[in-house]
Amino acid sequence: MRSGTHPRVVGTPQLRKEGVEKVQGRTKYIDDLEREGMWYGATVRSTISRGRVVAIHYDPRIDWTEFVVVTAADIPGNNHIQMISADQPCLANGHVNHCDEAIVLLAHPDKRRLPEALTAIRVDYERLPAVLSIEESETQLEIIWGPDTHEGNLFKQFYVEKGDVDSVWANASHIVEGEYRTGAQEHLYIENNGAIAEFSEETGVTVWGSLQCPFYVHKSLMAVFNLPADKVRVIQVATGGAFGGKEDYPSILAAHAGLLAMKVGRPIKLVYDRMEDLAATTKRHPSRTRHRTAIDENGKILAMEIDIATDGGAYATLSSTVLSRATLHATGPYVCPNIRITARAWATNTVPCGAFRGFGAPQTIFAIERHIEQLALAVGLDSDEIRRRNFLHDGDSTATQQVMIEPVILDKLLDRAIEVSEFHEKRIQFSGDNPSSLIKRGIGLAAFYHGSGFTGSGERYLNSLAGIDVAPDNKVRVLVSSTEFGQGTNTILAQIAAESLGISYDDVIMAPCDTAIVPNSGPTVASRTSMVVGKLIERAGSQLIASLKLEAGLLDSYSTQDFFSACDLYREHKGKVESLSRYEAPPNIYWNDQLYQGEAYPAFAWAVYVAEVAVDTTTYSAEVNAFHAVQEVGRVLNPTLAAGQIEGGIAQGIGYALYEKVLYKDGHMFNNQMTNYIIPTAQDIPPINVYFEEIPFEHGAYGAKGIGELPHDGPAPAILNAIQNALDLSFTSIPLLPEDICLRMTQASHAMSPVSA
Amino acid sequence: MPTHDTSFTCDVTGVRMIHPSHTVRFTVNGQSRSVDAPPLKRLLDVLREDLALTGTKEGCGEGECGSCSVRINGELVNSCLVPILQVEGAFVETIEGLSQADVIAELHPLQQAFLQRGGAQCGICTPGMLVAAAHLLSHTPNPTLEETREALAGNLCRCTGYVRIFESILSLAAMEEPADHAR
Amino acid sequence: MRGNPATHLFIRPSNLNGILTLLASEPGQWTPFAGGTELMVSHAAGQLRAQKLINIWGVPELSRIDMDDNFLSIGGGVTFRQIRDHATIASEFPLLAQAAGWIGSIANQSRATLAGNIVNGSPAADAPPSLLVYNSEIELISQRGVRRVPYASFHVGYKQNILRIDELVYALHLPRRFTTHNHYLRKVGARRAMAISKVALAATAVVKNDIFLEIRLAAASVADRPVRLLITEAALANQPLTHKTIANARMAIYNEVKPIDDIRSTAEYRRCVAANLLQQFIMQCIAREYSR
């Protein structure tokens, strides 16, 4: 019997919904699926970073009658991928703007015949000057995107002004300036991008894919194929990791597979191998952030001037929204009366950058959390004290004048992080041990927030719809387009549904993630699934219970059997048992897109992370030895999954800080193999201690806020702060490789002189 | 069809000679199997394409990620690097050799541990990870954390940060010594 | 997967004689194929040029580890897994056991062979520095017979060696006289496992009365091939264990190595770290002397 309102399912470590199949190897990912009569696709890509396509040659030694060839001329609708702007062609038509841009598609019934055919197609180009860095792009000497004006090469810019920054500099006791850089990062989901497509005149185009956002793909396919919504169907299949890397790119891949399917008249499988996936798909935006900060003699921040520049690659994709989140996280979790932020996303002739866990926040949080460490040194405060003196509290306002109406417990998080990491004891110990040791140890911290859900008005525009239905076989289905790619969507949404319906977790299943079946609950991004979509499911559940009570005689106290009996009765009257819920913005959330002012996010997750490092001065390599992650993410819906999200995000953050470097040559990623793009192995990840504080957020599902992106924000600055503690050297760029540390350490003392000790 | 260009100068070999397939016999998860395949065909592809055992995954194709881990005659290998010719007469064990039961209680203890402790997230590395973990436990029933880290270093996971994978495996080792349960 | 297996011939003669006969009768036509950890990677990348492959995996004569009073002999087809697990190698040639344990992952070690590591000839290969400082000899076999030469003379350039087109590596012979030596090996890669050397240094030495009586140094990823560092050895031979010796040795190795900038590291980093590793080895010798 259901009793009281105390949650029974939410907050408990329910087993992963699709977990049994996963541990059996039975889960079918895109490359595990086949369709009758299926052919295979492959892609001819640009070998130059910018130019005009002059001619395409097909080697006569290949029998091309066996192949089907698709070019831009075969596109029935618009030759662009519908993202925020429509600038990215589906297939290059006359011009290429980055290396590895798709030009020609091939299909053949035998996939092993395709690689050779690819090498037998030669594209002649007339090269044009390429722009390959933020610095080259902002000179605007060569305009590669947009109008030939001062807005050329500029995907987006934001300007935020609070208070009167210019009045402060003259009276500040210290002015500290710094420039911080972050590199591109590859998602390196272990499953490469892939899709299968079918086409027929009657049903239109159907795509199965490894993807995050079925309705993004759906919208894009409608434009490319010039088809109405009901002639486009997108089905997400089991997805082997995404991290943002399957947010925008699958729209391109699905279109390619669909175009081949249409021309061949058969199903097409288009699955990338690792080299192609690494070279051709999106990366995290590289960034450069400049800080100029005025502080008083007590370390109180008086003014912040922040200039952000990101490298968006060749097309706009999601650069504007990534820049937005970068901007809104640029001040860190600090209060300051006078703030000016200028942010620009620039075009370059590299593979377009896209979504990646954190979505701009890791870049600017790296900058502010490295910068505040320099403020601490300037005024002679400890790393924790400088932060404590500047933290946001309830009632304070952010750069966009958002007043903190929910509790902010940064002080408590910091206290706990300092305590569990033995921060001060370690600092004393290391400063004693380091002078006589070749291994220099250090400990550092980072404090930060991550805004949950879409930025500003985003959730209002999305207008998400989600729900629950109950089939005659007593299957309770969650109806969402929110996707599972490892982070636990299926499990937490089923938990929420079970909780709100007062039934068991095992009675709930997920409806197939198929645009022909489920409503558009929005994309699975932006740490919005638990908080926003979860809330819709919670509400759909309580609506359904209310309806069953009103119209099917369900009593206040009921058993599972009573519930299903009531559903049967309700179905007899109404035909079906379904409850849908549409997004409603929390009250007091106002955002002005023009002024860039107001409530940027309905809620924030807060964290303080501590990293302990050891730098071996023999090899100049830095390793993370221990990691402590203290955070407040609202109510934790599933403790096992939540901790798994934090640990996995930290591992990616460690990679971002110390290992992962995308090497470009003329705009082409040339370390496009797992051997040469280095992510941490099981031997490189330290013990990670995860602590949650829980303050339920009224407008999130059972109090939940966002969690997925937060853990990628903090590791890099915490680690570099720890390295500064260890070596007394301030590094300002990531990835920070042993080669970089070597260069700095040997600049001071030439390599010929023995290292200390 | 594109028009043929007789002035083509690109350095390709044209269609290469296709050699006949060979019959290879071996045992997979205790069952005798026989396939006709080019002798250089990867064991990974034979498992997935010829035997429909798609639990073994391809992540990199170069022996780096371990998603294609299987055991051959008791040795852990990357099946993407093993040509089928060399599997003649061998005993191959794949993820499908662990329990395929529908009931959680009937799963292999490693499968149960991964399920209960969050050792699997997206699941794509999980089959290879479980094969590597089973291999570890086959020769080291009570591994230390360090032994576990080394044993799994060839299996890349991008979701978990490995923490819960280690916990899953070590929980089985701890089962042998009840005193360790309080960890 | 960019290779097409059907476009390659791949055969398995029934024994070593059959392999050698074919290598001799169709010289240059056939490429020996052992554990596949290199060739299958090329194949997947669509870059396996060899059209005709001959299996040498599992040939009994190549898979043995034998010992007599003077030498420990490791067959060319012995895997790094076998090397890791071998008690005598662990006790008498610890650097080789250590190198074996650093190769790729467990799954790579169970397939990669000693001869494959050597013949592939990567300057970053893991086994060669140890084999060089153990003064190994390499035995090559063909239908014409066998020849045995110092391993130090095997590599002659970038991925160039003295192996003739009809020859296989039969065995490596390691003299059993290193049990009392100081041993040192350190591989520096981008991460703790699954790493290719950015630089590695191996060393064996005899120290008596605080003087280097015998010293051998070899390194990976500091030249176009695995190399002995003869100039640096000369700078240390018969020198006392002093800070001045360390400084001279650092200078010598810094100037002797000829690394390059590449996808994995920089020349300058490699030079600096080579010098640091050498210093670490000398410090280890000093510590050992003082602990006596």
Side-chain angles (χ1 to χ4, degrees):
Chain A
M1 286 286 168
R2 191 179 188 204
S3 61
T5 55
H6 188 70
R8 313 150 302 122
V9 186
V10 154
T12 61
Q14 297 294 328
L15 300 186
R16 178 172 285 279
K17 202 78 207 171
E18 73 292 352
V20 172
E21 300 95 86
K22 281 183 172 172
V23 299
Q24 292 178 325
R26 279 200 286 134
T27 305
K28 297 291 185 195
Y29 299 84
I30 192 68
D31 203 22
D32 304 331
L33 299 169
E34 287 184 13
R35 307 287 296 172
E36 184 74 27
M38 187 172 80
W39 283 29
Y40 296 85
T43 312
V44 176
R45 298 185 179 281
S46 169
T47 53
I48 68 163
S49 48
R50 185 168 173 238
R52 201 168 67 78
V53 174
V54 175
I56 302 173
H57 304 275
Y58 297 84
D59 188 326
R61 285 169 291 182
I62 298 279
D63 179 4
W64 293 103
T65 61
E66 293 180 13
F67 292 83
V68 168
V69 178
V70 162
T71 66
D74 294 298
I75 296 172
N78 299 328
N79 182 12
H80 66 243
I81 299 301
Q82 185 66 51
M83 293 299 298
I84 294 168
S85 33
D87 61 324
Q88 183 171 19
C90 176
L91 286 169
N93 192 12
H95 280 83
V96 291
N97 286 308
H98 64 86
C99 264
D100 304 293
E101 184 165 5
I103 302 171
V104 176
L105 304 170
L106 290 182
H108 192 278
D110 180 356
K111 67 180 172 189
R112 294 197 166 78
R113 297 287 304 285
L114 285 163
E116 189 178 47
L118 287 179
T119 66
I121 295 174
R122 192 189 73 220
V123 181
D124 290 343
Y125 306 94
E126 177 192 328
R127 283 175 185 267
L128 292 168
V131 168
L132 296 173
S133 67
I134 290 171
E135 283 69 23
E136 285 175 52
S137 187
E138 65 191 0
T139 65
Q140 297 175 317
L141 293 175
E142 189 71 32
I143 301 296
I144 60 166
W145 191 92
D148 195 358
T149 66
H150 65 285
E151 293 191 342
N153 292 349
L154 199 52
F155 288 135
K156 189 76 181 178
Q157 60 181 326
F158 293 114
Y159 187 73
V160 179
E161 184 97 36
K162 178 189 184 187
D164 183 359
V165 171
D166 294 326
S167 69
V168 177
W169 307 114
N171 303 318
S173 66
H174 301 271
I175 296 172
V176 180
E177 296 186 25
E179 179 179 298
Y180 307 90
R181 286 175 183 266
T182 64
Q185 187 184 19
E186 159 58 33
H187 309 83
L188 216 86
Y189 30 69
I190 305 296
E191 181 209 28
N192 292 316
N193 271 289
I196 294 174
E198 272 181 13
F199 186 92
S200 75
E201 289 302 329
E202 307 80 65
T203 58
V205 64
T206 303
V207 173
W208 294 259
S210 174
L211 50 90
Q212 285 178 243
C213 309
F215 281 97
Y216 279 6
V217 177
H218 187 267
K219 181 179 170 191
S220 181
L221 289 173
M222 283 169 62
V224 170
F225 285 86
N226 193 25
L227 286 171
D230 64 348
K231 288 285 171 64
V232 176
R233 185 176 171 194
V234 178
I235 301 157
Q236 188 236 5
V237 301
T239 296
F243 316 113
K246 295 171 183 174
E247 175 171 347
D248 44 329
Y249 197 84
S251 296
I252 300 176
L253 205 151
H256 290 173
L259 289 168
L260 283 168
M262 185 177 70
K263 190 153 179 185
V264 177
R266 290 170 175 277
I268 291 288
K269 180 186 274 190
L270 183 57
V271 174
Y272 293 166
D273 70 9
R274 183 59 62 182
M275 285 193 289
E276 183 171 23
D277 192 287
L278 286 174
T281 70
T282 57
K283 305 281 172 278
R284 182 186 296 286
H285 289 69
S287 76
R288 181 198 67 207
T289 302
R290 292 174 177 146
H291 276 269
R292 184 168 189 241
T293 309
I295 44 177
D296 70 14
E297 66 279 10
N298 297 317
K300 187 77 188 155
I301 298 174
L302 305 174
M304 302 172 97
E305 191 169 43
I306 306 172
D307 179 86
I308 303 162
T310 64
D311 176 349
Y315 297 109
T317 65
L318 300 162
S319 285
S320 58
T321 46
V322 169
L323 186 71
S324 170
R325 194 170 278 270
T327 304
L328 295 168
H329 289 74
T331 62
Y334 306 110
V335 64
C336 177
N338 305 294
I339 297 171
R340 177 183 296 140
I341 308 172
T342 312
R344 296 184 181 88
W346 294 99
T348 63
N349 295 114
T350 51
V351 169
C353 290
F356 194 150
R357 194 178 206 166
F359 208 71
Q363 289 91 321
T364 51
I365 289 172
F366 172 75
I368 180 64
E369 283 304 286
R370 285 295 293 128
H371 188 65
I372 199 160
E373 205 69 16
Q374 314 320 312
L375 303 186
L377 289 174
V379 288
L381 288 176
D382 277 346
S383 302
D384 53 336
E385 189 56 30
I386 185 85
R387 288 172 170 85
R388 205 182 301 276
R389 292 187 187 182
N390 290 287
F391 273 154
L392 279 164
H393 291 94
D394 312 6
D396 287 337
S397 74
T398 65
T400 64
Q401 311 281 4
Q402 176 169 6
V403 177
M404 295 288 113
I405 50 174
E406 303 289 330
V408 179
I409 59 161
L410 281 164
D411 295 295
K412 187 174 177 187
L413 300 179
L414 181 63
D415 288 344
R416 191 156 180 206
I418 294 290
E419 182 193 333
V420 297
S421 65
E422 300 178 329
F423 190 84
H424 291 295
E425 297 86 337
K426 291 274 170 73
R427 282 218 157 160
I428 291 166
Q429 182 199 330
F430 297 159
S431 67
D433 294 349
N434 281 345
S436 60
S437 174
L438 287 172
I439 309 285
K440 311 290 185 192
R441 300 177 69 191
I443 190 164
L445 64 82
F448 51 101
Y449 62 68
H450 195 94
S452 303
F454 261 43
T455 297
S457 319
E459 291 292 345
R460 287 182 210 262
Y461 293 139
L462 281 176
N463 199 22
S464 297
L465 187 67
I468 295 171
D469 71 5
V470 187
D473 61 359
N474 288 354
K475 282 283 187 296
V476 178
R477 301 195 307 173
V478 176
L479 307 171
V480 290
S481 64
S482 306
T483 49
E484 170 67 51
F485 38 88
Q487 82 288 36
T489 297
N490 289 350
T491 309
I492 56 140
L493 293 182
Q495 283 181 269
I496 291 164
E499 185 75 52
S500 65
L501 296 172
I503 58 174
S504 141
Y505 172 70
D506 293 335
D507 289 326
V508 181
I509 61 171
M510 300 300 291
C513 194
D514 176 340
T515 57
I517 295 173
V518 295
N520 186 354
S521 62
T524 308
V525 303
S527 303
R528 65 184 293 277
T529 303
S530 299
M531 184 180 80
V532 177
V533 183
K535 190 70 181 178
L536 298 182
I537 297 302
E538 179 189 345
R539 203 184 304 131
S542 49
Q543 278 171 202
L544 179 58
I545 293 298
S547 300
L548 293 175
K549 286 178 178 171
L550 193 66
E551 312 204 32
L554 189 68
L555 300 175
D556 280 344
S557 179
Y558 57 89
S559 68
T560 301
Q561 191 49 53
D562 298 338
F563 169 79
F564 286 118
S565 300
C567 286
D568 289 341
L569 196 59
Y570 187 91
R571 193 178 300 105
E572 278 176 32
H573 298 318
K574 305 277 181 178
K576 61 178 180 180
V577 183
E578 182 181 86
S579 172
L580 296 175
S581 174
R582 191 171 287 284
Y583 177 76
E584 291 166 22
N588 307 317
I589 295 285
Y590 303 103
W591 177 256
N592 185 323
D593 275 327
Q594 275 68 48
L595 296 175
Y596 219 64
Q597 293 282 314
E599 277 65 45
Y601 300 98
F604 296 86
W606 306 90
V608 177
Y609 283 6
V610 177
E612 203 180 306
V613 303
V615 185
D616 185 337
T617 56
T618 300
T619 62
Y620 311 102
S621 59
E623 287 183 345
V624 184
N625 294 136
F627 206 98
H628 305 273
V630 182
Q631 50 255 304
E632 191 275 295
V633 296
R635 185 188 290 283
V636 171
L637 298 175
N638 183 315
T640 305
L641 266 52
Q645 282 294 290
I646 300 299
E647 291 151 358
I650 288 167
Q652 286 182 347
I654 291 171
Y656 188 43
L658 295 178
Y659 298 92
E660 301 181 25
K661 187 165 191 171
V662 177
L663 298 172
Y664 289 108
K665 188 178 183 198
D666 298 331
H668 166 72
M669 177 184 182
F670 71 95
N671 58 333
N672 59 328
Q673 288 174 282
M674 279 204 189
T675 307
N676 292 323
Y677 183 80
I678 305 296
I679 66 166
T681 71
Q683 299 242 57
D684 302 297
I685 297 297
I688 298 171
N689 303 302
V690 178
Y691 309 87
F692 291 108
E693 296 287 341
E694 298 186 55
I695 300 180
F697 171 58
E698 185 189 344
H699 306 290
Y702 292 99
K705 299 192 284 196
I707 182 169
E709 296 177 284
L710 178 81
H712 204 307
D713 293 344
I719 290 165
L720 267 76
N721 288 342
I723 290 172
Q724 181 165 10
N725 176 232
L727 298 179
D728 204 17
L729 290 174
S730 175
F731 292 95
T732 54
S733 288
I734 50 170
L736 178 65
L737 301 184
E739 286 75 7
D740 305 314
I741 297 176
C742 175
L743 199 63
R744 277 285 289 283
M745 291 189 72
T746 54
Q747 270 171 355
S749 59
H750 192 261
M752 291 304 94
S753 56
V755 290
S756 61
Chain B
M1 264 316 108
T3 52
H4 289 184
D5 180 345
T6 50
S7 68
F8 205 92
T9 55
C10 209
D11 178 29
V12 299
T13 52
V15 177
R16 286 171 170 168
M17 189 175 149
I18 302 293
H19 300 289
S21 291
H22 288 223
T23 302
V24 181
R25 291 177 187 80
F26 55 105
T27 302
V28 182
N29 302 326
Q31 280 189 294
S32 296
R33 299 288 202 152
S34 167
V35 297
D36 288 320
L40 193 59
K41 189 168 184 176
R42 305 181 299 179
L43 171 59
L44 168 66
D45 296 327
V46 169
L47 291 170
R48 292 176 53 81
E49 296 168 8
D50 299 76
L51 303 177
L53 295 171
T54 55
T56 305
K57 308 298 181 189
E58 175 166 5
C60 68
E62 54 176 359
E64 196 75 15
C65 73
S67 301
C68 67
S69 299
V70 302
R71 300 214 304 167
I72 299 181
N73 297 334
E75 294 259 29
L76 186 69
V77 303
N78 294 308
S79 62
C80 73
L81 298 185
V82 178
I84 196 64
L85 174 97
Q86 295 180 342
V87 185
E88 173 76 44
F91 293 87
V92 177
E93 296 163 84
T94 71
I95 182 65
E96 288 88 354
L98 292 186
S99 171
Q100 297 294 305
D102 291 325
V103 184
I104 290 172
E106 291 174 16
L107 295 177
H108 185 282
L110 266 175
Q111 292 172 310
Q112 291 191 40
F114 269 56
L115 187 58
Q116 283 157 359
R117 291 169 186 270
Q121 288 191 20
C122 84
I124 196 81
C125 77
T126 307
M129 198 68 79
L130 281 165
V131 169
H135 177 69
L136 167 69
L137 295 178
S138 73
H139 58 77
T140 310
N142 284 296
T144 62
L145 176 60
E146 275 314 304
E147 287 168 333
T148 306
R149 283 159 62 111
E150 188 193 353
L152 301 184
N155 292 77
L156 296 178
C157 171
R158 192 59 156 166
C159 293
T160 63
Y162 306 102
V163 176
R164 263 143 227 289
I165 293 172
F166 299 153
E167 278 188 23
S168 302
I169 295 167
L170 294 172
S171 74
L172 299 185
M175 273 165 60
E176 312 251 318
E177 294 168 55
D180 282 356
H181 265 277
R183 60 191 293 278
Chain C
M1 180 62 196
R2 301 182 182 188
N4 183 351
T7 61
H8 299 265
L9 261 186
F10 187 17
I11 62 161
R12 182 168 60 178
S14 56
N15 56 36
L16 180 58
N17 192 41
I19 294 166
L20 297 176
T21 304
L22 198 56
L23 290 176
S25 63
E26 298 180 28
Q29 294 282 300
W30 294 89
T31 299
F33 188 115
T37 52
E38 292 291 339
L39 294 178
M40 289 300 278
V41 174
S42 300
H43 176 41
Q47 289 164 356
L48 181 59
R49 303 219 193 294
Q51 292 294 299
K52 296 163 93 172
L53 304 161
I54 184 167
N55 183 64
I56 58 169
W57 174 258
V59 174
E61 296 91 326
L62 302 177
S63 306
R64 289 203 308 259
I65 300 175
D66 295 323
M67 285 178 286
D68 61 23
D69 289 347
N70 298 320
F71 287 96
L72 179 125
S73 302
I74 308 173
V78 167
T79 65
F80 287 103
R81 164 77 197 273
Q82 285 175 274
I83 289 172
R84 264 189 98 165
D85 289 355
H86 198 274
T88 307
I89 294 176
S91 64
E92 295 187 27
F93 305 99
L95 305 185
L96 189 60
Q98 207 178 332
W102 281 341
I103 286 181
S105 63
I106 304 285
N108 299 131
Q109 290 160 20
S110 64
R111 295 284 301 175
T113 64
L114 183 61
N117 197 243
I118 291 169
V119 173
N120 180 55
S122 164
D126 286 304
S130 302
L131 295 171
L132 287 168
V133 297
Y134 287 133
N135 222 20
S136 308
E137 294 169 22
I138 189 165
E139 185 175 5
L140 309 173
I141 188 168
S142 68
Q143 220 183 18
R144 294 173 286 114
V146 296
R147 58 180 177 131
R148 186 161 161 168
V149 299
Y151 173 59
S153 66
F154 183 77
H155 300 284
V156 294
Y158 179 68
K159 298 213 166 192
Q160 301 290 308
N161 60 52
I162 61 166
L163 196 70
R164 295 176 188 138
I165 51 179
D166 62 343
E167 282 181 323
L168 292 177
V169 174
Y170 186 68
L172 272 294
H173 303 284
L174 283 63
R176 300 181 69 181
R177 50 176 293 272
F178 289 93
T179 46
T180 59
H181 281 58
N182 289 280
H183 298 254
Y184 177 88
L185 174 66
R186 187 152 180 201
K187 168 179 173 174
V188 180
R191 55 188 169 192
R192 284 189 161 197
M194 300 303 296
I196 295 169
S197 282
K198 289 177 176 181
V199 52
L201 181 75
T204 55
V206 175
V207 178
K208 203 162 188 182
N209 301 327
D210 288 354
I211 304 248
F212 280 111
L213 286 187
E214 180 188 324
I215 181 158
R216 288 188 188 79
L217 301 168
S221 300
V222 297
D224 63 355
R225 69 197 89 163
V227 284
R228 273 280 292 275
L229 300 171
L230 299 172
I231 297 169
T232 309
E233 287 176 13
L236 280 165
N238 302 310
Q239 296 300 309
L241 298 176
T242 63
H243 283 283
K244 182 159 184 295
T245 301
I246 291 174
N248 289 340
R250 286 182 64 92
M251 183 77 81
I253 195 170
Y254 187 89
N255 290 321
E256 182 174 12
V257 296
K258 298 283 181 273
I260 58 168
D261 290 341
D262 66 9
I263 198 167
R264 296 195 187 93
S265 191
T266 64
E268 184 57 19
Y269 174 81
R270 289 167 157 141
R271 270 193 290 269
C272 291
V273 173
N276 291 350
L277 296 180
L278 179 60
Q279 174 168 346
Q280 188 174 50
F281 167 61
I282 300 169
M283 298 298 287
Q284 182 185 300
C285 292
I286 293 171
R288 185 168 149 173
E289 282 305 293
Y290 280 89
S291 70
R292 287 191 169 172

